[in-house]
Amino acid sequence: MKTAIITVGKEVLTGKTINTNLATISRRLNEIGIDVNRSIVIDDIKEEYYSILDFCDSDLIIFTGGLGPTVDDITRETVIDYFKVETYLDKNILKDIKDYFGRIKVKMEDTNDKQAYFPKNSIIINNELGTAPGVIFKADNKTIVLFPGPPHEMIPMLEELIKYLKKELDIKLYSKGFKLVGIGESTIEKALTGFYDKHPLVNVAPYASIGEIKYVFTSSNKEKLEETMNDFYSKFSEFIYGDLDDTLEGIIVQKLIDEKMVISTAESCTAGQLAHMITKVSGSSEIFKEGFITYSYEAKSKYLNVLQDSLIKYGAVSNEVANEMAIGLAKETLADIAISITGIAGPTGDTPDKPIGLTYFGLTHNGVTKTFKKIFNGNREMVRTRATIYALNLIRKELFK
Amino acid sequence: MKTAIITVGKEVLTGKTINTNLATISRRLNEIGIDVNRSIVIDDIKEEYYSILDFCDSDLIIFTGGLGPTVDDITRETVIDYFKVETYLDKNILKDIKDYFGRIKVKMEDTNDKQAYFPKNSIIINNELGTAPGVIFKADNKTIVLFPGPPHEMIPMLEELIKYLKKELDIKLYSKGFKLVGIGESTIEKALTGFYDKHPLVNVAPYASIGEIKYVFTSSNKEKLEETMNDFYSKFSEFIYGDLDDTLEGIIVQKLIDEKMVISTAESCTAGQLAHMITKVSGSSEIFKEGFITYSYEAKSKYLNVLQDSLIKYGAVSNEVANEMAIGLAKETLADIAISITGIAGPTGDTPDKPIGLTYFGLTHNGVTKTFKKIFNGNREMVRTRATIYALNLIRKELFK
């Protein structure tokens, strides 16, 4: 099924907005076995729609953008004109549009009536978060989809399209996946030599981000899907932290809540990033009460009881200091788990024996403290993000061991 | 000048990578007065290149992606084939490619020789951060540009293209801008009624992100540019914190360094995000020594000396508690500036008189404490980010008043 995604709008063409809709739609279509062949961004000028529709020989054409009720939103009428399909006036939607203009206290032009015309036999998808509904219709043996541009309006509609396509194309596809941390894509791919040939009926796709990676498995054969996932799991179980809906901080916070445990943080180089990640999760106030950002020697001594001697002898970025930070933190906060981070984020501050990226971690749990050392690649921001995710993974491994 | 940007690659089409190159290139072209009319993402299949090149009647066509030295990178040869331009073998680049295969210890196929052929009279742009150089050449009265896909390799090359285009098109354009905080795009645009008509020779473009906005001014007339910017400045000076190269945290840290001042933070709802932002700036350890994340009542009392009475009587999210947090923080850390944040990030935790998004700030400077109240829109993450940027803006206003 040849598929094109057409994004409409000056905002995207001028670079004011990054086109995330393409990635969102592609991924979901990919998961039900539909590949996107082309993606095009056009200006909202009538000739451009015509030119692109002449050009596209796709079976499925998805437009996003240009669906609103104002005069410069011309996607619906232009595409309907192009395909010369019969239309009808949807009175409910006309009322919605009139209400909208009433609410924003703008006089509605008569031309806006046209926004309530839809192709006969089209499927209208309600927009809970904006004014313009989505539309699916058939014309010239093609399936045409019109979605609004704002991602938060578009994304819920995408699920309706997926349902429609699965039914229409009689796709019985199952899609599941794993999220992994503590291992890189290249290491995984090397370990997967022969794996793809062994599981020909399952599509396996990796999606990488800094410090994390997810693998999505898709197949029409439920048994083969399970078999493939089990095989994958057996190879990488220690790095798998959850399924596609999970987040690393989410599973940690939930586990801490379940275990009625409290966690505290002492951060030097990451300076609050770890605490910020943990508290992203709603409800985290049950398990996170306090944290320290101890950037200076003095703060490490004053709040965490790190010895002056250790700071002078080993330096702030050292195994000894990470260890003392975690011990001091646990004692001060009485948390069940106390974690410390101290490292060199760069771009300055390295010494011959301490490179940029060198980071030490301390983890105190039930009175036992372990330390960890790691050298991270990348610029200042990447080093800090990798260190934060590494710390979350240390907590996860401690909690789920 | 009709311009098309063509991104090549399965990674973008499947949604594994978000197409940020489009936005980056569009913005820079826009700043020298060139609008992008179309942007197309294609698969790296020979027929797709041909089909797109047949379709595009653009004067400037920029390809990104598919330039590497391996067999599946076919952009250079395919585009050269399409335009039937004469080529030559660049021996230096052939040597670079051979070195590359030597380094990665992979046998170089003879077919890779073709990667060293370039159109005669083309401009070759060195790639300091990868293997494939960029190319600019002319064919059929069009300017064709070939760039690698990875943004960190592409972005430095883009500046060479801008220089080339300015010279080639005899563009003498000047481009400058302001960054603003504490004011929204719609408020600015309302205040700019008549402004655009008054300054017809200057292109003015806003680029918004959460909590911040930048305005870019472009013109071939240097005097008119200054005049327009002065007019803009006079309207919004209190919200302007710097020019396009500045960051809010960067100017704050620099000012603190210049003034030999130290800052400390006490965060409840933002839980480390403010400290994390301040310490994004390299060199921030000079001015930031310590910070507290006081999520619980107890932590607010223990470290910041917030009165139990205040917490019970007014609640943790209150003017009184923000005030006491800032006073206690300044006393504990002896910092020149102490800032506190306490709010309801949601999605739960609101009460009839305290809505989600309600946030209080305390700022102690030279022994004087001021408090601020604000209600932020959006989900949990947006509320926290807006609160963090609002706090940075409070610090800025205090430092630059």
Side-chain angles (χ1 to χ4, degrees):
Chain A
M1 173 169 228
K2 287 170 100 175
T3 300
I5 298 177
I6 300 170
T7 308
V8 177
K10 204 86 196 143
E11 290 288 301
V12 177
L13 272 183
T14 54
K16 286 184 194 176
T17 300
I18 290 174
N19 189 9
T20 58
N21 282 350
L22 166 59
T24 311
I25 299 172
S26 290
R27 280 190 201 187
R28 279 303 279 136
L29 289 178
N30 206 243
E31 283 167 15
I32 62 164
I34 297 174
D35 283 341
V36 174
N37 312 86
R38 277 189 197 132
S39 160
I40 303 169
V41 185
I42 60 167
D43 210 348
D44 43 5
I45 298 165
K46 192 173 174 183
E47 292 69 34
E48 282 292 286
Y49 288 85
Y50 271 69
S51 148
I52 288 299
L53 284 166
D54 283 346
F55 172 65
C56 276
D57 54 350
S58 315
D59 310 301
L60 171 63
I61 303 178
I62 302 170
F63 281 88
T64 69
L67 270 201
T70 55
V71 185
D72 56 333
D73 290 315
I74 60 169
T75 299
R76 187 180 302 110
E77 57 178 294
T78 311
V79 175
I80 287 173
D81 281 356
Y82 179 90
F83 284 108
K84 299 186 182 65
V85 288
E86 263 192 90
T87 58
Y88 74 99
L89 178 72
D90 192 304
K91 284 180 185 159
N92 291 327
I93 290 170
L94 183 62
K95 188 178 168 300
D96 286 349
I97 296 174
K98 286 187 169 158
D99 288 353
Y100 169 76
F101 278 94
R103 267 201 316 282
I104 63 167
K105 296 187 176 58
V106 168
K107 190 188 165 296
M108 182 175 148
E109 304 291 330
D110 289 343
T111 50
N112 282 313
D113 273 20
K114 71 191 170 194
Q115 296 290 335
Y117 282 91
F118 289 89
K120 276 194 178 166
N121 303 317
S122 61
I123 295 167
I124 297 180
I125 308 172
N126 279 339
N127 188 340
E128 308 287 343
L129 298 158
T131 55
V135 192
I136 304 173
F137 68 95
K138 293 237 174 206
D140 290 357
N141 289 320
K142 297 170 197 284
T143 302
I144 314 296
V145 181
L146 311 180
F147 279 160
H152 69 279
E153 296 181 27
M154 190 280 292
I155 290 169
M157 295 188 184
L158 180 57
E159 292 312 307
E160 294 302 313
L161 174 64
I162 296 292
K163 265 186 232 161
Y164 169 84
L165 289 171
K166 284 177 85 164
K167 204 178 149 196
E168 183 76 6
L169 304 172
D170 199 23
I171 299 175
K172 282 183 192 62
L173 269 187
Y174 305 94
S175 192
K176 285 182 175 181
F178 292 124
K179 281 192 173 175
L180 298 92
V181 63
I183 186 168
E185 182 172 0
S186 57
T187 313
I188 297 176
E189 288 301 320
K190 208 171 275 176
L192 286 181
T193 310
F195 181 87
Y196 294 107
D197 293 338
K198 202 173 141 195
H199 302 288
L201 296 179
V202 180
N203 179 281
V204 183
Y207 297 87
S209 56
I210 292 181
E212 279 201 37
I213 191 162
K214 69 177 178 183
Y215 269 78
V216 179
F217 301 75
T218 310
S219 180
S220 58
N221 185 321
K222 213 170 180 175
E223 274 171 43
K224 292 286 177 202
L225 182 77
E226 294 296 334
E227 204 179 292
T228 309
M229 288 185 74
N230 287 341
D231 191 4
F232 186 92
Y233 188 86
S234 70
K235 286 181 203 298
F236 304 107
S237 61
E238 64 176 306
F239 305 104
I240 291 171
Y241 73 78
D243 63 30
L244 300 180
D245 295 328
D246 288 322
T247 63
L248 188 51
E249 60 275 17
I251 64 136
I252 288 170
V253 169
Q254 193 52 54
K255 181 74 173 174
L256 291 167
I257 291 173
D258 293 347
E259 305 278 331
K260 296 194 194 318
M261 287 168 77
V262 168
I263 190 168
S264 62
T265 54
E267 303 178 63
S268 189
C269 63
T270 52
Q273 194 171 1
L274 176 59
H276 176 217
M277 282 288 279
I278 293 170
T279 54
K280 269 190 178 165
V281 186
S282 174
S284 52
S285 57
E286 266 190 62
I287 57 90
F288 185 84
K289 308 290 179 190
E290 58 204 284
F292 292 92
I293 300 155
T294 53
Y295 226 48
S296 65
Y297 276 35
E298 293 68 29
K300 289 180 182 77
S301 297
K302 188 163 53 160
Y303 305 112
L304 306 174
N305 215 22
V306 172
L307 297 175
Q308 206 57 34
D309 271 7
S310 308
L311 287 163
I312 292 161
K313 194 165 163 195
Y314 306 109
V317 179
S318 64
N319 197 54
E320 289 76 8
V321 168
N323 184 53
E324 290 179 27
M325 282 171 75
I327 294 171
L329 176 68
K331 208 171 156 192
E332 173 63 34
T333 62
L334 301 175
D336 303 293
I337 286 203
I339 184 155
S340 68
I341 310 177
T342 180
I344 303 162
T348 60
D350 57 333
T351 57
D353 55 329
K354 292 190 178 177
I356 286 170
L358 174 68
T359 311
Y360 291 92
F361 302 82
L363 184 76
T364 301
H365 180 205
N366 286 338
V368 180
T369 303
K370 296 177 215 164
T371 58
F372 306 85
K373 174 191 173 179
K374 186 86 187 163
I375 299 172
F376 300 105
N377 291 324
N379 61 22
R380 183 176 176 86
E381 197 158 340
M382 283 160 80
V383 165
R384 302 212 302 168
T385 299
R386 289 187 205 280
T388 302
I389 292 173
Y390 190 86
L392 286 171
N393 196 33
L394 289 177
I395 300 164
R396 178 188 74 89
K397 287 200 281 188
E398 186 67 24
L399 287 173
F400 289 90
K401 75 181 173 192
Chain B
M1 173 169 226
K2 287 170 101 175
T3 300
I5 298 177
I6 301 171
T7 308
V8 177
K10 204 88 195 142
E11 290 288 300
V12 176
L13 272 183
T14 55
K16 287 184 192 175
T17 301
I18 290 174
N19 189 9
T20 57
N21 282 350
L22 166 59
T24 311
I25 299 172
S26 292
R27 280 190 201 187
R28 278 303 278 135
L29 289 178
N30 206 242
E31 282 167 16
I32 62 164
I34 296 174
D35 283 341
V36 175
N37 313 87
R38 278 187 196 133
S39 159
I40 304 170
V41 185
I42 60 167
D43 210 347
D44 43 6
I45 298 164
K46 193 173 173 180
E47 292 69 34
E48 282 293 286
Y49 287 86
Y50 271 70
S51 147
I52 288 299
L53 283 167
D54 283 345
F55 172 65
C56 276
D57 54 351
S58 314
D59 310 300
L60 172 63
I61 303 179
I62 302 171
F63 281 88
T64 71
L67 270 202
T70 55
V71 186
D72 55 333
D73 289 314
I74 60 169
T75 298
R76 187 180 302 109
E77 58 179 293
T78 312
V79 175
I80 287 174
D81 281 356
Y82 178 90
F83 284 107
K84 300 187 182 67
V85 287
E86 263 192 274
T87 59
Y88 74 99
L89 178 73
D90 191 305
K91 284 178 185 162
N92 291 328
I93 289 170
L94 184 62
K95 189 180 167 299
D96 286 350
I97 297 174
K98 284 187 170 158
D99 288 353
Y100 170 77
F101 278 94
R103 268 200 317 280
I104 64 167
K105 295 187 175 60
V106 168
K107 190 186 164 296
M108 181 177 151
E109 304 290 332
D110 290 342
T111 50
N112 283 313
D113 274 19
K114 72 192 169 193
Q115 296 290 334
Y117 281 91
F118 288 89
K120 277 193 177 167
N121 304 316
S122 61
I123 295 167
I124 298 180
I125 308 173
N126 279 340
N127 187 339
E128 308 287 342
L129 299 158
T131 56
V135 193
I136 304 174
F137 67 96
K138 293 239 171 202
D140 290 358
N141 289 319
K142 297 169 198 285
T143 302
I144 314 297
V145 182
L146 312 180
F147 279 158
H152 69 278
E153 297 180 26
M154 190 281 292
I155 290 168
M157 294 188 186
L158 180 56
E159 291 314 305
E160 295 300 314
L161 174 65
I162 297 293
K163 266 187 234 163
Y164 169 84
L165 289 171
K166 284 178 85 165
K167 204 178 148 193
E168 183 76 7
L169 303 173
D170 200 23
I171 300 175
K172 282 183 194 62
L173 270 186
Y174 305 94
S175 191
K176 286 182 176 183
F178 293 124
K179 281 191 172 175
L180 297 92
V181 63
I183 185 168
E185 182 173 357
S186 57
T187 314
I188 297 177
E189 288 300 320
K190 209 171 276 175
L192 286 182
T193 310
F195 181 87
Y196 294 107
D197 293 338
K198 202 173 140 195
H199 302 288
L201 296 178
V202 180
N203 179 283
V204 183
Y207 298 86
S209 56
I210 292 181
E212 280 200 36
I213 190 161
K214 69 177 179 186
Y215 270 77
V216 179
F217 301 76
T218 311
S219 179
S220 58
N221 185 321
K222 213 170 180 176
E223 273 171 43
K224 293 285 176 201
L225 183 77
E226 294 297 334
E227 203 179 293
T228 309
M229 288 183 75
N230 288 340
D231 190 4
F232 186 92
Y233 189 85
S234 69
K235 286 182 201 300
F236 303 108
S237 62
E238 65 175 305
F239 305 104
I240 291 171
Y241 73 79
D243 63 30
L244 299 179
D245 294 328
D246 288 322
T247 63
L248 188 52
E249 60 274 18
I251 64 135
I252 288 170
V253 169
Q254 193 52 54
K255 181 74 173 173
L256 290 167
I257 291 173
D258 293 346
E259 305 278 328
K260 296 195 194 317
M261 287 168 76
V262 168
I263 190 168
S264 62
T265 54
E267 303 177 64
S268 190
C269 62
T270 52
Q273 195 171 0
L274 176 61
H276 177 216
M277 282 288 278
I278 293 170
T279 55
K280 270 191 179 165
V281 186
S282 174
S284 52
S285 57
E286 267 190 61
I287 56 91
F288 184 84
K289 308 292 178 190
E290 59 205 282
F292 293 92
I293 300 154
T294 52
Y295 227 48
S296 65
Y297 276 36
E298 293 70 27
K300 290 180 182 76
S301 296
K302 188 162 54 159
Y303 304 113
L304 306 174
N305 216 21
V306 172
L307 297 176
Q308 206 59 31
D309 271 7
S310 308
L311 287 162
I312 292 161
K313 194 164 163 195
Y314 307 108
V317 179
S318 64
N319 197 53
E320 290 76 7
V321 168
N323 184 53
E324 290 180 26
M325 282 170 75
I327 293 171
L329 175 67
K331 207 171 157 192
E332 173 63 36
T333 63
L334 302 174
D336 303 294
I337 287 204
I339 185 156
S340 68
I341 309 177
T342 181
I344 302 162
T348 60
D350 59 330
T351 56
D353 55 329
K354 292 190 179 178
I356 286 170
L358 174 67
T359 311
Y360 290 92
F361 302 82
L363 183 76
T364 300
H365 181 204
N366 287 337
V368 180
T369 304
K370 296 175 216 165
T371 57
F372 306 85
K373 174 191 172 179
K374 186 85 187 163
I375 300 172
F376 300 106
N377 291 324
N379 61 23
R380 182 175 176 86
E381 198 159 337
M382 284 159 80
V383 165
R384 302 212 302 166
T385 298
R386 289 187 205 279
T388 302
I389 291 172
Y390 190 86
L392 286 172
N393 196 32
L394 289 177
I395 300 164
R396 178 188 75 87
K397 288 199 280 189
E398 186 66 24
L399 287 173
F400 289 90
K401 75 180 172 192

